[in-house]
C-alpha cells in the first residue's frame, strides 16, 4: 500500500512580511490552535508544492528548478515530517514525531482593546525611556534594601514557612502577579502599535486557572525590536513588583500583618520572575530568547528532535550538524528543567498534603497526580491496538514499534528499581545545644548598676558579672537589725522580772492598805454601836460600811500587785517574745543575703553568650528575670525532632548525618545518644532550659500551627578538626534506619494511609 501524498491544509493563513535585512518571510497562522509559524521563502515554496498531486521526486525537481540547487530526499522527508508534527498537513503521513503537551480548556473572557486604548493614553509614558529610568531607580533602591536587610527577610520567610499562611504564595501567582503581568504585556503591545483582541482563561490540568493575553500581533505585525520590547515588559513589571514589595516590607512595623504579606509577596514575585525568565520553560524568557535568536518554534523543534533521536526515528526536519547538536542540547536541558521542576513541585505538594491532612492529603495527592498524568495515559491507551498478543509491539505493516519497545523496557527497568535495596533514613529538624548551659537570673528585684562582662567573654566560677543597686537592700537590713535589737531588750526585761524598788513599793502599798482597812473596820464597829443607841443615823452607818469594804478591796489589790511583782513574767510571754525575735532574725538574715546577692557572680566556668548584655545597665529587672546565659565549654549535642510515625525506625547508637542552614555544603556526623520517653505536641514548641515558657512565647512572636506529634532525640556529634558549630544553629538531620526496597521506602505514607486511615473506616 503506497504512502499517502502530503497535502498542506487549506485553512492556513499565510502573510508575507519583510524582515530586518529586506528579505521576505512568511507567517503561517493555524486557525485551530492560534499558533504562528515563521517560514522562509524556500520553505513556503515547498509548502505550496504539497497539493497532493506531486510525488516527492517531483517536488524536489521543482525546488531545484526554482532555486538552482538540489534538495536531498532525506531533507525533503524531514521537512514534511516536521510539517506533520506541527499539524499543518491535511492528512498525517504516519511518520510524525509528536510532542505531548498539557493543554487545558480555553475560555475567551473578552476583548480588552477599548480598555487598552484608554490606558495607552494614561500610562503610555511608563513604556518610554523616562519610565525605564524610574524602574531602574526603583530597582536600585530595592537592591540596597536587599543588600542591607536580605538576611532578615530570609529569616522571616523561614519563620513564616512553618505557617499555613504560605498558601498565599501560589495565590499571589494565580490571581495577582500573572494576570497583572499579562495585562502589562497587552498594554505594551498596544503602545507599540499592535492590538490585543482577546483575554483568555485556561484551566491547566483542569484545576489551575491561568489567564493570558493573546499577543498574536506581536508576531504578525511588529519588527524584532518592538517584539522584544513587548515580551520583556512582563519581566520588567515583575521586577517593579519585587521592588515595591521590598520597600513596603522594610517600612512597616515588624510583626504586623502588612509586613508578613509583603514578605510573602516578595517571595512569590521573585520565584515567579525566575521561572518566567528561564528560557528552558515556555514562558516570557523563552519567547525573548527565541525572538532574539530568531529561531522558529525553538522549544517544539528541539523537543521533537530529541524525541526522534531517543526513539531512533528519522530526523524531523533538515538541520546542519552543528545546528542539530545545539537543538539537542537545548531540548535535553528543556526536558530536564520541565520535568525536574514538575517533580519538585509535585513532591512538595505531596509532602505538604500528607503532613497536614494525613490520609486525606494522600488521597488528594493521588487525584492531583492522576490529573497531571491523564493526558499521557489517555494517549498511550489510544495507541494500543485491538489485539492483545504480540501485535502490541507491531503496527499494521508488521514492523516493531520501537517507541513501544522503549516504553516496555523503561517500565521493566522501573519495576526492577522498585525492588532494589535502599538505605532508608529518618529525617527531622535539629537544634545544636551545649553540654551545659546556665541561665543567670536577677536574684533580687532592682536596678542594674554595673555590668562587668560582655558577649563572648570567658568567666570563671565566682567571677562578678554585675552589681545591682544596694540602697533598698541596705535599708531593709538596717530596719531588720533595729527590730531585732528592740525585741532582745524586751526579752531581757521579761526574763529579769521586777526591780527591788518596785517590790518595796508594792510592800509599802500593802502596808498602807492594811492600816487603812484596820482603821475603817474599827470605825464601822463604832457606827454600828452608835446606830443601835440611836446616836448615829442610817446614812452615816452606810457610809462607814462602804469605806470599810473599799479599804478591804484596796488591801487585796495591793497584796496581788505585790505577788505579781515578786512572781516575774510568765513562760508563755517569754516564749512569744523569743519567737518574734527569731522571726526578726530570719528577716535580718534574708535582708543581709539580698544585700549580698546584689553582687551577681558566674555559676560556672564558661563564656557569656547573651548579646549586648552591657546594655542592661540602668534597667530594672524583676526577681527571677533572665539576665544573661553562661555556656560551659564542652562537647555540643544535637536535639532532633523526629515525627512520631517514624520513631520506631530509630534505635540508640544509630548513625546521624546533619546539615545546617548556615553551612549546607558540610555534612556533620554523630550518633543517637538517647530517645525521649514521651512524644510532645510540636505546636507547643520547646521550652529552653534557660527560658520560662512565658519568656519563650514572648521571644518567638510567631503564629504557631499544629504540626503533629514529635519525639526528641539527643545525638552526640563528632566534629573533625577545623569544623565549628555554634549553639542554637538549626538544620536537617537524617538518622540511618534499616535497608528496604525502594518501593517500600518511598511509599510509607501510602502504606500508613491504607493500614491506619482506611482501616479506621472499617466497622
Amino acid at each position: 500500500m503506497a504512502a499517502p501524498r502530503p497535502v498542506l491544509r487549506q485553512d492556513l493563513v499565510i502573510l508575507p512580511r519583510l524582515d530586518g535585512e529586506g528579505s521576505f518571510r512568511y507567517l503561517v497562522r493555524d486557525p485551530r490552535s492560534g499558533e504562528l509559524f515563521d517560514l522562509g521563502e524556500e520553505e513556503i515554496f515547498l509548502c505550496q508544492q504539497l497539493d497532493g498531486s506531486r510525488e516527492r521526486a517531483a517536488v524536489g525537481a521543482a525546488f531545484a528548478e526554482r532555486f538552482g540547487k538540489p534538495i536531498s530526499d532525506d531533507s525533503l522527508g524531514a521537512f514534511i515530517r516536521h510539517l506533520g508534527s506541527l499539524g499543518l498537513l491535511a492528512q498525517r503521513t504516519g511518520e510524525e514525531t509528536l510532542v505531548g503537551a498539557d493543554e487545558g480548556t480555553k475560555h475567551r473572557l473578552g476583548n480588552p482593546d477599548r480598555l487598552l486604548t484608554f490606558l495607552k493614553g494614561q500610562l503610555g509614558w511608563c513604556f518610554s525611556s523616562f519610565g525605564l529610568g524610574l524602574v531602574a531607580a526603583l530597582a536600585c533602591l530595592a537592591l540596597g534594601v536587599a543588600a542591607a536587610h536580605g538576611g532578615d527577610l530570609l529569616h522571616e520567610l523561614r519563620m513564616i514557612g512553618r505557617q499555613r499562611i504560605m498558601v498565599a504564595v501560589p495565590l499571589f501567582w494565580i490571581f495577582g502577579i500573572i494576570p497583572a503581568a499579562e495585562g502589562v504585556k497587552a498594554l505594551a503591545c498596544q503602545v507599540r502599535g499592535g492590538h490585543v483582541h482577546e483575554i483568555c482563561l485556561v484551566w491547566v490540568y483542569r484545576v489551575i486557572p491561568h489567564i493570558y493575553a493573546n499577543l498574536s500581533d506581536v508576531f504578525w505585525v511588529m519588527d524584532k525590536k518592538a517584539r522584544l520590547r513587548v515580551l520583556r515588559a512582563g519581566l520588567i513589571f515583575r521586577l517593579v513588583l519585587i521592588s515595591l514589595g521590598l520597600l513596603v516590607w522594610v517600612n512597616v512595623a515588624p510583626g504586623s500583618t502588612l509586613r508578613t504579606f509583603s514578605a510573602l509577596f516578595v517571595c512569590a514575585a521573585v520565584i515567579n520572575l525566575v521561572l518566567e525568565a528561564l528560557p528552558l520553560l515556555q514562558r516570557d524568557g523563552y519567547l525573548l530568547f527565541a525572538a532574539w535568536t530568531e529561531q522558529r518554534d525553538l522549544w517544539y523543534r528541539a523537543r521533537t528532535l530529541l524525541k526522534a533521536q531517543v526513539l531512533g526515528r528519522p530526523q524531523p526536519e533538515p538541520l546542519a550538524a552543528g545546528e542539530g547538536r545545539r537543538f539537542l542540547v537545548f531540548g535535553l536541558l528543556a526536558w530536564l528543567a520541565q520535568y525536574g521542576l514538575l517533580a519538585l513541585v509535585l513532591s512538595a505538594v505531596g509532602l505538604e498534603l500528607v503532613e497536614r491532612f494525613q490520609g486525606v492529603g494522600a488521597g488528594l495527592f493521588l487525584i492531583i497526580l492522576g490529573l497531571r498524568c491523564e493526558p499521557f495515559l489517555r494517549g498511550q491507551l489510544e495507541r494500543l491496538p485491538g489485539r492483545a498478543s504480540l501485535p502490541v509491539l507491531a503496527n499494521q505493516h508488521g514492523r516493531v514499534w520501537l517507541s513501544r519497545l522503549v516504553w516496555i523496557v523503561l517500565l521493566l527497568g522501573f519495576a526492577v528499581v522498585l525492588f532494589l535495596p535502599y538505605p532508608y533514613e529518618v529525617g527531622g529538624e535539629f537544634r545544636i545545644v551545649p553540654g551545659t548551659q546556665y541561665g543567670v537570673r536577677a536574684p533580687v528585684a532592682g536596678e542594674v548598676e554595673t555590668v562587668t562582662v560582655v558577649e563572648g567573654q570567658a568567666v570563671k566560677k565566682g567571677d562578678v558579672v554585675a552589681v545591682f543597686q544596694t540602697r533598698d537592700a541596705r535599708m531593709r537590713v538596717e530596719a531588720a537589725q533595729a527590730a531585732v535589737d528592740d525585741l532582745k531588750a524586751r526579752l531581757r526585761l521579761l526574763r529579769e522580772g521586777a526591780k527591788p524598788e518596785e517590790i518595796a513599793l508594792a510592800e509599802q502599798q500593802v502596808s498602807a492598805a492594811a492600816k487603812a482597812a484596820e482603821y475603817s473596820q474599827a470605825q464601822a464597829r463604832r457606827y454600828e454601836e452608835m446606830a443601835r443607841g440611836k446616836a448615829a443615823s442610817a446614812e452615816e452607818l452606810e457610809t462607814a460600811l462602804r469605806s470599810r469594804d473599799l479599804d478591804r478591796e484596796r488591801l487585796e489589790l495591793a497584796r496581788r500587785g505585790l505577788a505579781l511583782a515578786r512572781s516575774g513574767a510568765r513562760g508563755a510571754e517569754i516564749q512569744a517574745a523569743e519567737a518574734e525575735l527569731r522571726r526578726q532574725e530570719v528577716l535580718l538574715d534574708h535582708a543581709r543575703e539580698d544585700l549580698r546577692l546584689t553582687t551577681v557572680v558566674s555559676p560556672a566556668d564558661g563564656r557569656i553568650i547573651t548579646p549586648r548584655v552591657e546594655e542592661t545597665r540602668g534597667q530594672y529587672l524583676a526577681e527571677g528575670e533572665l539576665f544573661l546565659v553562661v555556656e560551659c565549654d564542652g562537647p555540643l549535642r544535637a536535639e532532633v525532632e523526629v515525627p512520631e510515625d517514624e520513631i520506631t525506625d530509630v534505635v540508640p547508637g544509630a548513625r546521624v548525618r546533619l546539615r545546617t542552614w548556615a553551612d549546607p555544603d558540610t555534612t556533620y556526623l554523630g550518633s543517637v545518644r538517647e530517645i525521649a520517653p514521651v512524644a510532645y505536641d510540636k505546636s507547643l514548641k520547646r521550652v529552653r532550659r534557660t527560658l520560662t515558657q512565658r519568656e519563650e512565647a514572648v521571644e518567638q512572636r510567631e503564629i504557631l500551627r499544629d504540626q503533629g506529634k514529635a519525639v526528641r532525640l539527643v545525638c552526640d556529634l563528632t566534629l573533625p578538626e577545623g569544623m565549628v558549630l555554634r549553639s542554637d544553629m538549626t538544620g536537617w538531620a537524617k538518622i540511618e534506619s534499616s535497608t528496604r526496597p525502594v518501593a517500600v521506602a518511598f511509599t510509607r505514607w501510602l502504606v500508613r494511609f491504607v493500614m491506619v486511615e482506611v482501616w479506621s473506616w472499617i466497622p
Side-chain angles (χ1 to χ4, degrees):
M1 180 177 178
R5 295 176 180 177
V7 179
L8 192 71
R9 283 170 44 190
Q10 299 299 313
D11 58 341
L12 299 177
V13 179
I14 301 177
L15 179 68
R17 66 184 181 90
L18 286 174
D19 59 13
E21 300 177 357
S23 303
F24 271 104
R25 304 289 298 179
Y26 296 86
L27 286 174
V28 179
R29 183 175 184 273
D30 186 350
R32 298 178 184 175
S33 62
E35 293 182 283
L36 293 171
F37 306 98
D38 187 10
L39 302 181
E41 186 175 358
E42 296 177 353
E43 295 163 323
I44 203 68
F45 176 80
L46 290 175
C47 290
Q48 293 171 348
Q49 300 302 309
L50 303 179
D51 55 4
S53 62
R54 295 181 176 87
E55 297 286 348
R56 284 189 183 181
V59 173
F63 180 88
E65 181 180 355
R66 170 66 174 80
F67 295 100
K69 57 182 179 180
I71 182 173
S72 66
D73 186 65
D74 291 340
S75 297
L76 181 58
F79 178 72
I80 295 174
R81 286 192 296 272
H82 181 59
L83 291 179
S85 66
L86 298 178
L88 302 183
L89 297 181
Q91 184 178 4
R92 291 186 178 183
T93 64
E95 299 177 316
E96 293 84 5
T97 304
L98 300 178
V99 178
D102 297 314
E103 299 179 357
T105 304
K106 173 182 173 182
H107 302 278
R108 187 175 185 273
L109 300 181
N111 187 348
D113 189 69
R114 182 178 299 178
L115 175 62
L116 293 175
T117 302
F118 169 76
L119 294 177
K120 174 183 177 181
Q122 305 296 323
L123 303 175
W125 59 272
C126 295
F127 302 91
S128 63
S129 300
F130 176 73
L132 288 177
L134 289 180
V135 171
L138 188 63
C140 289
L141 288 176
L143 185 61
V145 170
H149 305 283
D152 296 335
L153 178 60
L154 292 177
H155 176 72
E156 187 169 339
L157 287 173
R158 186 189 303 177
M159 301 299 293
I160 297 174
R162 304 174 181 176
Q163 306 170 18
R164 295 183 179 178
I165 198 173
M166 281 299 291
V167 72
V169 171
L171 293 180
F172 279 141
W173 286 2
I174 297 172
F175 299 106
I177 298 175
I178 293 178
E182 289 294 321
V184 169
K185 287 196 298 184
L187 182 58
C189 179
Q190 198 86 0
V191 171
R192 300 300 174 188
H195 292 277
V196 178
H197 301 291
E198 61 179 0
I199 297 291
C200 301
L201 170 67
V202 171
W203 291 94
V204 181
Y205 308 137
R206 300 176 177 83
V207 292
I208 304 176
H210 176 73
I211 298 176
Y212 71 95
N214 189 343
L215 301 177
S216 58
D217 274 13
V218 172
F219 303 96
W220 280 83
V221 178
M222 298 181 181
D223 57 12
K224 177 180 178 180
K225 185 176 181 180
R227 194 183 313 165
L228 293 175
R229 289 180 176 178
V230 172
L231 294 176
R232 75 186 183 191
L235 300 178
I236 295 176
F237 176 71
R238 289 175 174 88
L239 183 61
V240 172
L241 292 181
I242 295 172
S243 304
L244 293 176
L246 280 173
L247 294 178
V248 172
W249 173 80
V250 79
N251 286 288
V252 296
S256 63
T257 303
L258 181 57
R259 186 181 177 96
T260 300
F261 275 94
S262 299
L264 289 174
F265 184 81
V266 170
C267 175
V270 169
I271 297 176
N272 187 254
L273 174 62
V274 172
L275 295 179
E276 288 288 334
L278 190 64
L280 300 177
L281 302 176
Q282 288 182 285
R283 308 303 303 165
D284 289 351
Y286 160 74
L287 295 176
L288 270 172
F289 179 74
W292 178 64
T293 58
E294 295 186 339
Q295 291 286 349
R296 301 173 288 107
D297 307 316
L298 174 62
W299 198 86
Y300 288 105
R301 293 167 65 190
R303 289 286 304 277
T304 303
L305 181 61
L306 176 66
K307 189 172 183 180
Q309 288 288 329
V310 171
L311 299 179
R313 293 180 177 178
Q315 185 171 318
E317 60 176 308
L319 294 171
E323 188 179 13
R325 284 192 296 269
R326 290 193 295 270
F327 270 56
L328 285 175
V329 171
F330 183 86
L332 179 61
L333 293 177
W335 187 88
L336 292 176
Q338 180 186 11
Y339 289 101
L341 181 63
L342 181 62
L344 180 64
V345 171
L346 287 177
S347 300
V349 170
L351 290 175
E352 186 70 14
L353 288 175
V354 173
E355 181 181 353
R356 291 186 183 277
F357 306 109
Q358 301 299 320
V360 176
L364 291 175
F365 177 68
L366 290 177
I367 293 175
I368 294 175
L369 192 61
L371 289 173
R372 170 62 185 85
C373 300
E374 187 267 341
F376 169 76
L377 295 176
R378 186 181 66 244
Q380 294 301 314
L381 291 175
E382 290 177 351
R383 295 174 62 181
L384 289 177
R387 297 179 297 275
S389 57
L390 185 62
V392 171
L393 297 179
N395 59 14
Q396 63 269 29
H397 303 293
R399 296 192 300 269
V400 174
W401 283 5
L402 183 59
S403 61
R404 295 186 182 179
L405 183 60
V406 169
W407 278 113
I408 290 177
V409 172
L410 290 177
L411 290 176
L412 290 176
F414 180 72
V416 171
V417 169
L418 292 180
F419 289 95
L420 292 177
Y422 180 79
Y424 185 74
E425 293 179 310
V426 175
E429 295 180 347
F430 75 87
R431 184 173 70 97
I432 299 298
V433 296
T436 308
Q437 192 180 76
Y438 294 93
V440 180
R441 300 179 177 274
V444 293
E447 181 182 327
V448 181
E449 188 174 74
T450 305
V451 180
T452 61
V453 294
V454 295
E455 181 184 4
Q457 179 176 334
V459 293
K460 298 291 185 181
K461 183 177 181 179
D463 288 352
V464 177
V465 297
V467 177
F468 282 60
Q469 231 179 32
T470 60
R471 180 184 57 189
D472 294 339
R474 292 183 183 279
M475 181 189 68
R476 289 193 294 271
V477 169
E478 293 174 358
Q481 184 65 58
V484 168
D485 294 342
D486 178 65
L487 284 172
K488 285 182 177 180
R490 288 170 56 192
L491 183 60
R492 187 168 58 250
L493 290 175
L494 290 175
R495 288 173 176 170
E496 292 177 354
K499 297 187 293 184
E501 292 82 358
E502 292 176 342
I503 295 175
L505 178 62
E507 291 175 344
Q508 186 178 359
Q509 290 175 348
V510 170
S511 177
K515 291 179 180 179
E518 183 180 357
Y519 175 76
S520 299
Q521 178 68 25
Q523 188 178 13
R525 284 198 298 269
R526 286 196 300 272
Y527 272 99
E528 286 178 348
E529 293 177 356
M530 290 173 64
R532 284 195 296 270
K534 305 296 183 182
S537 63
E539 288 81 2
E540 291 175 336
L541 177 61
E542 183 179 355
T543 300
L545 292 174
R546 183 170 59 249
S547 297
R548 181 196 64 185
D549 294 339
L550 289 174
D551 288 340
R552 287 178 179 175
E553 291 293 331
R554 291 189 184 98
L555 177 59
E556 183 64 25
L557 288 175
R559 289 172 177 169
R560 292 183 178 180
L562 176 60
L564 181 62
R566 289 175 176 173
S567 65
R570 290 180 296 178
E573 289 181 327
I574 295 176
Q575 291 176 358
E578 290 175 344
E580 180 64 19
L581 177 60
R582 288 195 300 271
R583 190 179 73 86
Q584 290 296 333
E585 287 176 342
V586 170
L587 293 178
L588 176 61
D589 291 341
H590 279 281
R592 287 173 176 169
E593 181 67 14
D594 287 346
L595 179 60
R596 185 186 66 81
L597 291 177
T598 55
T599 301
V600 185
V601 298
S602 172
D605 297 347
R607 57 190 177 91
I608 307 299
I609 64 171
T610 303
R612 301 186 299 276
V613 65
E614 65 277 4
E615 296 179 6
T616 57
R617 183 183 295 110
Q619 295 183 9
Y620 183 90
L621 300 181
E623 183 178 354
E625 188 171 353
L626 183 66
F627 174 53
L628 56 84
V629 178
V630 177
E631 181 178 290
C632 298
D633 296 330
L636 297 176
R637 294 180 296 176
E639 289 187 353
V640 186
E641 292 180 344
V642 175
E644 63 173 337
D645 50 15
E646 302 275 3
I647 194 60
T648 55
D649 298 313
V650 181
V651 295
R655 182 171 174 267
V656 182
R657 295 186 299 142
L658 308 96
R659 289 185 181 179
T660 63
W661 298 113
D663 186 13
D665 297 330
T666 303
T667 300
Y668 300 91
L669 302 179
S671 60
V672 177
R673 177 181 180 182
E674 61 184 45
I675 303 174
V678 295
Y680 66 91
D681 191 341
K682 292 181 71 175
S683 65
L684 299 179
K685 290 295 179 183
R686 179 190 303 105
V687 180
R688 295 184 184 178
R689 65 184 56 154
T690 58
L691 296 181
T692 64
Q693 190 169 3
R694 178 184 63 81
E695 291 168 338
E696 175 80 7
V698 172
E699 181 180 298
Q700 291 296 328
R701 295 177 182 270
E702 61 172 299
I703 302 172
L704 302 180
R705 66 178 178 89
D706 184 13
Q707 295 180 331
K709 296 282 187 178
V711 179
R712 183 175 59 88
L713 306 180
V714 178
C715 302
D716 294 326
L717 298 178
T718 303
L719 298 180
E721 186 177 355
M723 288 190 178
V724 178
L725 284 177
R726 301 185 182 275
S727 299
D728 286 330
M729 277 187 170
T730 59
W732 191 264
K734 288 188 175 183
I735 303 103
E736 69 176 3
S737 181
S738 58
T739 301
R740 303 173 182 180
V742 173
V744 176
F746 287 91
T747 59
R748 294 201 67 203
W749 59 272
L750 181 59
V751 173
R752 283 195 296 268
F753 169 69
V754 175
M755 300 303 294
V756 179
E757 185 77 14
V758 176
W759 175 73
S760 67
W761 300 343
I762 302 175

